[in-house]
Amino acid sequence: MNLKAILLDDEPPANQAMQALLADFCKQVDVAETCLNTEKASEAIIRHQPDVLFLDISMPGESGIDFLQRLGHFDFEVVFVSAYNQYALDAFRLSAVDFILKPISQAGVVAAVEKVAKRRQQKRELERYRLLFDLMQGNAGRMMLPGKNGLHEVVRIPEIVYCRADGHATHFFLSDGRRLTTGSNLGEYRNALLPYHFLQTHRSFLVNMMMVSSYNAGDETLLLKNGHPADVSREFKREVVGWLRGG
């Protein structure tokens, strides 16, 4: 997992040492910016939306702990870095992932990055489950589609033109021309999509009826707004025609 980091320490050599250790031993970490005070760090956080902030505690003007308390809510992970271990309890009360004592060591930095990566992954998994739960409740208006290599993408349900079964897989055709393929069969999505004006028109097709341009009764196909046809089988024809007639 790649991680975007910001370093905040009022001593430039400390930032340089941390950046060197990360570059040498934590290749998955990209240091987006180094900061010497909390004012610059506030701007950097807005600009870069980091995964982790390596934060010194004892700094002139505003301490690292005061800085976090002023921020209130934040979405990144925090690794405190300090020469004084008496701050450790306060650090963990602020939900810090780790506390590194100065002088920093390779082992301490590597261990902290591993903890950050684990927590970020756990949060991403929780977000996936939350989105899927919202989908099953029928109130989210969006869904997460699993793709290749464990990647997931959130799409707005109204942007799905239609779904087509392909054995045990399902292809999702989106209004922007993309096609996303999942490893689940069409039936797993049917009940969740029905509240969003989707109809099953064929054993292999689940269609967003708001994306229908016309119906060809001769060859029993729907022409969709993306130019693709969708089959209508005898099994589902009555329901499809009824919907098109407003019944």
Side-chain angles (χ1 to χ4, degrees):
M1 174 187 293
N2 292 327
L3 300 168
K4 186 185 297 183
I6 290 175
L7 313 184
L8 171 54
D9 197 304
D10 64 299
E11 299 178 355
N15 279 333
Q16 293 165 5
M18 177 64 75
Q19 189 164 11
L21 283 172
L22 291 171
D24 289 341
F25 303 106
C26 303
K27 303 294 186 184
Q28 72 272 42
V29 178
D30 173 33
V31 177
E33 192 167 341
T34 60
C35 304
L36 299 177
N37 56 61
T38 57
E39 181 181 354
K40 293 296 183 183
S42 296
E43 297 170 357
I45 288 168
I46 295 171
R47 184 162 51 249
H48 299 292
Q49 298 296 302
D51 295 295
V52 56
L53 172 67
F54 288 87
L55 177 61
D56 185 25
I57 292 180
S58 182
M59 294 183 291
E62 185 175 35
S63 72
I65 289 175
D66 290 340
F67 174 56
L68 282 189
Q69 290 176 332
R70 177 167 62 84
L71 287 180
H73 173 74
F74 49 88
D75 294 325
F76 50 85
E77 311 305 328
V78 176
V79 174
F80 277 106
V81 184
S82 177
Y84 308 101
N85 59 12
Q86 65 263 34
Y87 292 118
L89 182 58
D90 289 332
F92 288 116
R93 282 174 177 166
L94 289 169
S95 300
V97 174
D98 208 351
F99 185 97
I100 300 176
L101 272 174
K102 294 181 178 179
I104 60 176
S105 66
Q106 171 192 338
V109 172
V110 170
V113 169
E114 289 176 350
K115 291 176 183 178
V116 169
K118 183 177 181 180
R119 185 176 289 189
R120 297 304 282 180
Q121 184 63 36
Q122 289 173 339
K123 287 184 176 181
R124 290 179 188 180
E125 291 295 335
L126 285 173
E127 178 65 10
R128 291 173 187 171
Y129 293 135
R130 186 187 67 78
L131 288 170
L132 291 172
F133 177 79
D134 285 344
L135 171 65
M136 297 309 294
Q137 295 300 307
N139 60 13
R142 57 183 180 170
M143 67 185 301
M144 182 165 286
L145 298 177
K148 295 180 179 179
N149 302 319
L151 299 177
H152 288 67
E153 184 166 354
V154 178
V155 301
R156 293 183 63 251
I157 292 176
E159 294 174 357
I160 301 170
V161 181
Y162 71 103
C163 312
R164 190 186 74 214
D166 184 6
H168 293 293
T170 301
H171 303 294
F172 285 75
F173 295 84
L174 307 183
S175 57
D176 61 7
R178 288 179 299 153
R179 183 181 76 175
L180 300 178
T181 301
T182 78
S184 300
N185 63 53
L186 188 67
E188 294 192 25
Y189 301 104
R190 183 179 182 276
N191 289 338
L193 291 174
L194 289 181
Y196 295 93
H197 308 293
F198 278 74
L199 283 183
Q200 187 155 6
T201 65
H202 185 279
R203 289 185 182 272
S204 297
F205 286 87
L206 191 59
V207 173
N208 181 350
M209 299 301 287
M210 304 303 291
M211 291 287 186
V212 173
S213 293
S214 61
Y215 172 56
N216 188 327
D219 60 9
E220 296 187 343
T221 60
L222 294 169
L223 180 64
L224 306 177
K225 291 183 179 180
N226 64 354
H228 294 190
D231 294 339
V232 179
S233 68
R234 182 179 302 177
E235 181 181 0
F236 299 100
K237 181 177 178 179
R238 178 178 294 181
E239 186 176 4
V240 170
V241 172
W243 196 98
L244 293 172
R245 290 175 175 172

